[in-house]
Amino acid sequence: MAHKQVLLRDDIENLGARGEIVRVKAGYARNYLLPRNLAVEATANNVRQIEGERAALAKREAKDRSSAELQADQLRSLTLKFERKVGEAGVLYGSVTSMDVAHALKEQGYEIDRRKIVMREPIKRFGNYAVPVRLHRDVTVELPVKVLGEGGVEVNVAALEAEVGVETAAPEAVAITESPAEAAVVPAASEAPAVDEVAETDE
């Protein structure tokens, strides 16, 4: 099967970092990377252009990482609070999703794509959580999130569960800081298609 070398214009999960020259299947490059401007062909005719691209991407990478680190320091000082109605055994009437977190951050002056907010599933129980926000491939910050009852009331989940005879579940991930509830945040899989899956379209 035919292959070709390309220069990555952006980070591609399981492939390489922005500015790297990698060898991929021709169909993957033709059908996915090149049309989306995620890469350019690394042919002999454009080596000089590619070297210029690499230098520019290296500068952009350094700037993006510096900005991400600065933003991470700012986010560590925040604690997002969400108020929800309480249901049986402390289950929320209305969960807290990555979109909710992104909207709350926007209200605080931070425009962050919700896809960078790493949540396997919505938060469905009261308590204190640490939600990972991946600002850069090398910069991830754990954002404190507190889920309260209506009026900002702290909810004693253990007491509510005891009333209905439900055992408190042990935390499943270290991302939860002070909650007896189930884990709500774990690293998410990349949304980009796998290399081999796209490459199968090669003729």
Side-chain angles (χ1 to χ4, degrees):
M1 185 175 291
H3 289 75
K4 64 172 57 181
Q5 287 189 320
V6 296
L7 167 74
L8 299 180
R9 291 177 177 269
D10 210 338
D11 298 337
I12 307 295
E13 193 79 17
N14 300 321
L15 182 58
R18 182 168 51 197
E20 288 185 13
I21 293 179
V22 297
R23 185 169 180 267
V24 299
K25 292 180 180 178
Y28 179 52
R30 182 177 65 249
N31 299 323
Y32 181 71
L33 296 176
L34 301 180
R36 289 166 175 77
N37 202 32
L38 296 174
V40 294
E41 290 189 49
T43 63
N45 293 332
N46 62 7
V47 170
R48 192 170 298 176
Q49 176 187 346
I50 286 174
E51 288 303 320
E53 289 257 1
R54 294 184 71 177
L57 289 171
K59 290 181 180 179
R60 178 182 161 192
E61 169 71 11
K63 182 178 179 181
D64 286 353
R65 177 167 182 166
S66 178
S67 297
E69 289 174 344
L70 177 60
Q71 191 172 57
D73 288 339
Q74 295 171 340
L75 291 180
R76 289 188 186 99
S77 66
L78 291 179
T79 297
L80 297 184
K81 296 181 180 180
F82 298 90
E83 296 182 12
R84 296 290 188 270
K85 291 182 179 180
V86 61
E88 185 176 335
V91 178
L92 305 183
Y93 282 127
S95 57
V96 176
T97 67
S98 59
M99 188 173 295
D100 292 323
V101 174
H103 182 70
L105 286 171
K106 185 175 182 180
E107 290 180 339
Q108 297 284 339
Y110 298 96
E111 289 278 356
I112 295 178
D113 190 324
R114 70 182 182 88
R115 290 173 295 182
K116 294 183 178 181
I117 300 167
V118 187
M119 296 177 66
R120 181 185 63 188
E121 59 185 20
I123 297 174
K124 300 176 182 178
R125 300 174 72 87
F126 294 98
N128 299 325
Y129 298 83
V131 177
V133 180
R134 192 179 188 189
L135 301 171
H136 180 275
R137 76 169 185 272
D138 296 327
V139 181
T140 299
V141 59
E142 290 194 345
L143 179 67
V145 171
K146 182 184 288 288
V147 184
L148 305 166
E150 287 185 296
V153 177
E154 293 273 1
V155 177
N156 189 330
V157 178
L160 290 172
E161 291 178 335
E163 289 180 6
V164 294
V166 177
E167 292 186 3
T168 300
E172 297 176 1
V174 296
I176 296 180
T177 55
E178 300 175 16
S179 172
E182 63 187 27
V185 286
V186 295
S190 169
E191 296 186 2
V195 174
D196 289 338
E197 291 176 354
V198 180
E200 290 179 358
T201 60
D202 188 27
E203 297 176 356

